[in-house]
Amino acid sequence: MDLSNIIFILLSLLVSVNCIMWNLEPNSRKCLREELQQNIPVIGEFEVSEAPGQSVDYLVTDSKGHTLAKRQGITKGKFSFNTESFDTYEICFISQVPQNLRGISQEVSLVTKHGVETKNYDTYGEAAQLKPIEKELKRLEDLSEAIVQDFAIMRKREEEMRDTNESTNSRVLYFSIFSMCCLLALATWQVLYLRTYFKAKKLIE
């Protein structure tokens, strides 16, 4: 195995592909949240087990409550959207069961992809008339760029956290100095007050 294949495998492991499966109880709501950067394409593929008389809806929203995708009475399908800003996005699956039914749990499976993984390189390769190795190199290039961008974002966040930490430490230091000055002033006032009091009572000269 040459170096390019090893690098490709390592980069592929870093691609964000999430697959999850759970049981959705009757008349319940299950939500998944993820923090994403701006202008990131997201696609999802879901499948819900059937249950007579029951239905499941899905809803995709951001932290401001804006609806990005929704559908009622789902069984199997896909959804897609682009992130408008750096935000936390939520995908919810909602069980709907009539009151006259007892209801049973339904199995829900969800696969989500975002960023580079949403691109169809087979279609791109055919349109650009690329050879298989050229298609893989293009995929590798996009993965590398995505990882570099992720590291840049992580570095920026680390700098912001460090600045916040330094600012907090400075404020704590100033507050500690102020507190010590207040305590010293209070102790001095107490000593002077007690000295005056004892002199007035002629307990000391």
Side-chain angles (χ1 to χ4, degrees), residues 103-128:
I104 60 174
S105 62
Q106 295 175 266
E107 187 177 84
V108 180
S109 63
L110 174 66
V111 178
T112 59
K113 301 177 182 179
H114 59 74
V116 177
E117 191 59 26
T118 61
K119 295 183 179 180
N120 190 331
Y121 286 92
D122 292 332
T123 303
Y124 175 81
E126 292 176 359

Side-chain angles (χ1 to χ4, degrees), residues 57-69:
D57 308 334
Y58 81 78
L59 178 66
V60 181
T61 59
D62 57 18
S63 63
K64 302 179 182 64
H66 299 152
T67 300
L68 304 177

Side-chain angles (χ1 to χ4, degrees), residues 31-119:
C31 296
L32 306 173
R33 297 182 182 89
E34 186 168 1
E35 195 176 69
L36 297 173
Q37 297 296 321
Q38 184 179 8
N39 295 326
I40 299 296
V42 180
I43 62 174
E45 185 173 356
F46 56 83
E47 185 172 358
V48 181
S49 63
E50 296 184 4
Q54 300 181 197
S55 64
V56 175
D57 308 334
Y58 81 78
L59 178 66
V60 181
T61 59
D62 57 18
S63 63
K64 302 179 182 64
H66 299 152
T67 300
L68 304 177
K70 67 177 181 178
R71 187 175 169 186
Q72 296 178 339
I74 61 174
T75 54
K76 185 177 182 180
K78 298 180 180 180
F79 63 85
S80 63
F81 64 92
N82 286 335
T83 60
E84 298 178 354
S85 61
F86 174 69
D87 203 348
T88 300
Y89 295 86
E90 184 177 70
I91 304 173
C92 293
F93 288 82
I94 308 161
S95 172
Q96 305 284 354
V97 181
Q99 294 182 354
N100 59 341
L101 290 181
R102 182 178 180 181
I104 60 174
S105 62
Q106 295 175 266
E107 187 177 84
V108 180
S109 63
L110 174 66
V111 178
T112 59
K113 301 177 182 179
H114 59 74
V116 177
E117 191 59 26
T118 61
K119 295 183 179 180

